[in-house]
């Protein structure tokens, strides 16, 4: 291939020059072409007998019957309808308009443009080694590592707005989690444990609280009952912390119960402003129970470290958990993007980057943003406040809208604190969708985006929230144009069929108006130029 190309440099040079000339002429001198066409019409007015042709056309139009206009409009409507059906079928199958695809793939390169499948532009991702793509699994729901307290936070929202922030499906999942966590190590349930098992399943909050007090009456050292009271009865974080400390003092050796209580105590310290204490508690918990990585305690740690602006420590945590063999999350991907964006965002300018190109650090930041957006495409609209936030659910679906809500709810302040980070995100995040193939039979850096996220998110998120759906492609312009054309021609066909005489008069008037400027232009040009000039031109 290289020898063939090198043996014919002149032909390649001529082709490039031709493309460059066509691109330049198309872009800058369209009006010259229009003028040349008008001059050519006038020059050929006499040799081609255009005047007689126009006269004949007028006579022909005057002799047409209404049946012709009915047939013409009906045929036009049929053709445009067939084009619309084909365009819609092509869009449903390939996610793009056939006319636009042909224009971009064939006409644009001919006119000097850049092919869409070639190297991407200024804000395109730099393709590196892609992560291995595991097979698509079912949409698994995870416990939200940063879920709020029902009594101190969720219930307050209900008191103020009258809306329920949690769905029954979400709370039912939490009930199942609690039954699993707090069953106890004994082979047979104690009476108070049996009461708590029933308490978690109660749908009414007051019934759950009454059952917790009943369990405490049976056994004053029922730690699970104090956990329920801390979660649901306590109306302040301070009160919840007091009840959790009480539960911790009587928890015994139940590992699940100990981990749950210590984690919630760390979250209480974080909410009460004792952030360094919260960080220490989280680190100790991770060292004491290293095998409980499925609980994602490191995500609590990352958020607390970001609040301390301890970015070096955040990077150290990411280096451990942002591993190719470990499952990703929005917190991992977007925190990595935030750190890289923070390094360049304070001086980033789209205009300057367009002129000089992206530096290595800027390119790394853009690549990290593209990676994060590919993992969860719902997050940017919340971070950029293009969509309103709600309270996060107690369970999330990774890569879904529920995870995006949970991440943005706690991390929006960290993006705002990094000067220019949101501006860089705003300029670059949509470029991700030009990289990911459509249909989504394969991904770019991750496995294909699952198609079951919308259904699961609608069960996890409250009904008053508009669930973000991806991929949701807008209809291409040519489908809308063809639909409008089809509707217009169908309406004309119907009107022509119903009122043939009237529509015939309109059609004759339209064509007369259409051809009239040609004769007017010829008359004006002849009055300005001497007849000998036009005679010489016609002879040529």
């Amino acid at each position: 291939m290289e020898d063939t190309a090198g043996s014919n440099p002149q032909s390649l040079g001529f082709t490039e020059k031709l493309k460059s000339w066509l691109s330049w002429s198309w872009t800058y001198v369209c009006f010259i072409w229009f003028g040349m066409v008008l001059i050519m019409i006038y020059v050929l007015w006499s040799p081609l007998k255009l005047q007689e042709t126009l006269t004949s056309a007028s006579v022909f139009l005057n002799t047409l019957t209404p049946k012709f206009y009915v047939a013409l409009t009906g045929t036009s409507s049929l053709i445009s309808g067939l084009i619309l059906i084909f365009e819609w079928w092509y869009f449903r199958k390939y996610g793009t308009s056939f006319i636009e695809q042909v224009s971009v793939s064939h006409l644009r390169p001919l006119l000097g443009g850049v092919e869409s499948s070639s190297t991407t532009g200024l804000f395109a991702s730099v393709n590196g080694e892609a992560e291995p793509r595991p097979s698509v699994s079912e949409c698994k729901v995870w416990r939200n590592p940063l879920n709020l307290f029902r009594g101190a936070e969720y219930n307050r929202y209900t008191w103020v707005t009258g809306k329920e922030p949690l769905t029954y499906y979400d709370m039912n999942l939490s009930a199942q989690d609690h039954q699993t966590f707090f069953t106890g190590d004994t082979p047979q349930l104690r009476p108070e444990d049996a009461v708590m098992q029933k308490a978690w399943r109660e749908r009414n909050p007051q019934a759950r609280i009454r059952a917790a007090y009943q369990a405490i009456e049976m056994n004053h050292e029922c730690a699970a009952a104090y956990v329920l009271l801390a979660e649901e009865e306590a109306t302040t974080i301070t009160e919840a912390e007091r009840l959790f400390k009480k539960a911790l003092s009587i928890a015994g050796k139940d590992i699940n119960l100990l981990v749950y209580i210590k984690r919630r105590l760390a979250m209480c310290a974080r909410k009460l402003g004792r952030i360094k204490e919260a960080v220490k508690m989280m680190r100790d918990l991770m060292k004491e129970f290293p095998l409980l990585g499925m609980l994602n305690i490191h995500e609590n740690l990352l958020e607390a470290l970001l609040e301390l602006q301890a970015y070096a420590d955040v990077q150290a945590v990411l280096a451990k958990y942002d591993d190719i063999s470990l499952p990703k999350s929005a917190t991992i991907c977007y925190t990595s993007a935030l750190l890289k964006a923070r390094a360049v965002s304070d001086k980033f300018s789209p205009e300057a980057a367009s002129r000089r190109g992206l530096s290595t650090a800027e390119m790394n930041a853009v690549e990290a943003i593209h990676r994060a957006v590919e993992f969860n495409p719902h997050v940017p609209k919340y971070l950029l406040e293009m969509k309103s936030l709600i309270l996060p659910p107690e369970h999330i679906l990774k890569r879904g809208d529920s995870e995006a809500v949970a991440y943005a709810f706690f991390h929006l302040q960290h993006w705002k604190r990094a000067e220019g980070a949101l501006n860089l995100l705003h300029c670059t995040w949509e470029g991700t969708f030009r990289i990911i193939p459509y249909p989504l039979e394969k991904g770019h850096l991750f496995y294909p985006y699952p198609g079951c996220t919308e259904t699961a998110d609608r069960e996890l998120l409250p009904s008053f929230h508009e669930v973000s759906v991806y991929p949701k492609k807008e209809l291409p312009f040519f489908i809308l144009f063809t639909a409008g054309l089809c509707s217009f021609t169908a309406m004309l066909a119907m009107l022509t069929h119903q009122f043939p005489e009237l529509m015939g008069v309109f059609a004759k008037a339209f064509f007369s108006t259409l051809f009239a400027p040609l004769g007017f232009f010829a008359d004006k040009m002849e009055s300005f130029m001497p007849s000998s000039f036009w005679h010489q031109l016609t002879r040529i």
Side-chain angles (χ1 to χ4, degrees), residues 136 194 314 408:
V136 180
V314 173

Side-chain angles (χ1 to χ4, degrees), residues 301-321:
L301 179 60
L302 284 172
E303 197 279 326
L305 290 173
L306 285 172
E307 182 64 22
L308 289 176
Q309 301 185 44
Y311 297 111
D313 293 336
V314 173
Q315 184 60 57
V317 175
L318 286 177
K320 182 178 180 181
Y321 289 95

Side-chain angles (χ1 to χ4, degrees), residues 207-223:
R208 291 195 292 270
I209 293 172
R210 286 195 299 269
Y213 278 114
Q214 182 183 351
I216 292 174
E217 289 177 1
M218 293 180 178
N219 182 0
H220 291 288
E221 294 188 352
C222 181

Side-chain angles (χ1 to χ4, degrees), residues 238-257:
T238 302
E239 186 179 354
E241 184 181 39
R242 179 184 61 80
L243 290 169
F244 275 122
K245 287 181 178 180
K246 175 68 175 177
L248 181 63
S249 65
I250 59 177
K253 297 182 179 180
D254 188 336
I255 294 179
N256 288 340
L257 195 57

Side-chain angles (χ1 to χ4, degrees), residues 144-334:
N144 182 4
L146 296 168
N147 66 299
L148 304 176
F149 295 86
R150 287 189 185 176
E153 293 173 304
Y154 286 120
N155 284 349
R156 286 181 174 273
Y157 179 84
T158 303
W159 298 339
V160 173
T161 64
K163 298 178 180 179
E164 290 290 343
L166 298 176
T167 63
Y168 176 70
Y169 174 74
D170 191 15
M171 291 189 290
N172 187 50
L173 291 175
S174 297
Q176 296 175 19
D177 293 340
H178 293 147
Q179 292 178 71
T180 303
F181 288 159
F182 309 139
T183 301
D185 297 330
T186 56
Q188 292 184 348
L189 289 178
R190 296 170 296 183
E192 62 272 20
D193 292 332
V195 171
M196 289 306 302
Q197 287 285 305
K198 182 181 178 181
W200 298 121
R201 294 193 298 268
E202 287 287 351
R203 188 167 185 176
N204 189 319
Q206 295 303 319
R208 291 195 292 270
I209 293 172
R210 286 195 299 269
Y213 278 114
Q214 182 183 351
I216 292 174
E217 289 177 1
M218 293 180 178
N219 182 0
H220 291 288
E221 294 188 352
C222 181
Y226 286 103
V227 168
L228 189 147
L229 294 177
E231 290 284 355
E232 303 205 28
E233 188 185 39
T235 56
T236 64
I237 300 298
T238 302
E239 186 179 354
E241 184 181 39
R242 179 184 61 80
L243 290 169
F244 275 122
K245 287 181 178 180
K246 175 68 175 177
L248 181 63
S249 65
I250 59 177
K253 297 182 179 180
D254 188 336
I255 294 179
N256 288 340
L257 195 57
L258 285 173
V259 171
Y260 185 93
I261 294 173
K262 289 183 177 181
R263 179 183 194 159
R264 295 304 263 177
L265 281 172
M267 295 176 68
C268 286
R270 162 69 182 92
K271 293 175 184 292
L272 293 172
R274 306 195 308 269
I275 305 173
K276 291 184 179 180
E277 178 185 342
V279 167
K280 184 179 184 306
M281 295 173 69
M282 293 171 191
R283 289 189 185 277
D284 292 342
L285 193 57
M286 293 167 65
K287 290 179 182 178
E288 189 177 357
F289 305 101
L291 299 180
L292 295 178
M294 67 181 70
L295 299 178
N296 298 320
I297 302 174
H298 59 276
E299 295 195 11
N300 299 85
L301 179 60
L302 284 172
E303 197 279 326
L305 290 173
L306 285 172
E307 182 64 22
L308 289 176
Q309 301 185 44
Y311 297 111
D313 293 336
V314 173
Q315 184 60 57
V317 175
L318 286 177
K320 182 178 180 181
Y321 289 95
D322 193 7
D323 186 81
I324 194 171
S325 61
L326 297 176
K328 300 294 183 293
S329 67
T331 301
I332 292 291
C333 294
Y334 278 90

